[in-house]
Amino acid sequence: MKLPRTTLILILLALGLGGFVYFYEIRGATVREEIKEQKQQIFSFAVDDVQFLTVKTKKLTLNLERNPESNNPKWLIKSPVSEPANDAIVSYLMDLLVKGKSDSTLSTPAKELGEFGLVQPQATINITLKNRQSHQLILGKSNFNGTFLYAQADPAAKPDGNINVLLVSTDFANAVNRELSEWKQPVDNSQKLPQLTIPKPSPTNSK
């Protein structure tokens, strides 16, 4: 039996639509899930787990310790000076360390790390937890279009001898490349102003 031309066209359209749905929704969902899974959490510790931080840049090596006596301030600078830290600045870095994700991971031979700026990194962050476990994040140069930084988290060679290189947010560079003065607790000038004395009016002699 010969099908009418209109019916045949509708059947072909239905088959084409079915193929589109399969490749976009089913196969495409699998691919999108694989891409999504590549965005892995960099570290698994919580903010309150961290006891010490060391931030080393090309200009400065800064040692920070959680304040054992008070939450105001939460952090203390131990070196190169000894004074309260700027909690907002430290919290910004801590938030990135705790919540930051790697957009993707590259497996590369150790001899090629210099191409990612990881042999002479722009910054190294050492984290020590309250349970004495330690972690490290090494920040290299930005990728070709400046959207991410190359980085290593707890660097270690894999069985095949390669090293995992991560792509992380450029916010990490903004968080650590600071002057020492920015890490210090801001001075509250309002507490250092001399008390203003308002002169009393002189008594007038009435006639």
Side-chain angles (χ1 to χ4, degrees), residues 47 113 115:
V47 171
L113 289 178
E115 298 180 14

Side-chain angles (χ1 to χ4, degrees), residues 119-192:
V119 174
Q120 295 181 330
Q122 64 168 300
T124 301
I125 306 167
N126 291 304
I127 306 117
T128 303
L129 307 184
K130 292 177 179 177
N131 62 7
R132 296 299 173 180
Q133 288 184 357
S134 60
H135 296 277
Q136 186 180 64
L137 183 67
I138 302 173
L139 302 177
K141 65 182 182 181
S142 59
N143 64 341
F144 70 97
N145 60 2
T147 54
F148 294 100
L149 293 179
Y150 294 115
Q152 287 179 277
D154 294 336
K158 299 190 296 181
D160 61 3
N162 285 356
I163 304 286
N164 280 338
V165 175
L166 314 179
L167 283 173
V168 302
S169 171
T170 55
D171 289 341
F172 278 101
N174 299 329
V176 297
N177 288 315
R178 299 179 181 276
E179 299 294 332
L180 177 60
S181 59
E182 295 181 78
W183 291 101
K184 297 178 182 179
Q185 186 182 59
V187 176
D188 187 356
N189 292 321
S190 64
Q191 296 182 1
K192 295 188 176 183

Side-chain angles (χ1 to χ4, degrees), residues 16-101:
L17 181 61
F20 172 80
V21 170
Y22 171 75
F23 282 102
Y24 181 79
E25 294 295 338
I26 300 176
R27 289 290 302 277
T30 303
V31 173
R32 288 193 295 272
E33 185 64 26
E34 290 174 354
I35 294 173
K36 182 180 178 181
E37 288 177 356
Q38 289 179 1
K39 294 187 178 183
Q40 297 290 336
Q41 197 87 14
I42 300 174
F43 298 113
S44 59
F45 53 79
V47 171
D48 291 339
D49 294 335
V50 180
Q51 184 66 29
F52 302 98
L53 278 175
T54 297
V55 179
K56 183 178 181 180
T57 65
K58 293 179 179 179
K59 292 183 178 180
L60 177 70
T61 297
L62 184 82
N63 290 296
L64 297 159
E65 180 182 1
R66 184 179 293 277
N67 190 345
E69 298 178 357
S70 171
N71 283 328
N72 186 25
K74 293 181 181 179
W75 291 91
L76 303 172
I77 301 175
K78 304 305 290 184
S79 67
V81 296
S82 180
E83 59 183 271
N86 186 326
D87 280 339
I89 297 296
V90 180
S91 294
Y92 177 58
L93 174 58
M94 285 296 306
D95 192 62
L96 289 171
L97 291 171
V98 170
K99 298 179 182 178
K101 295 183 178 181

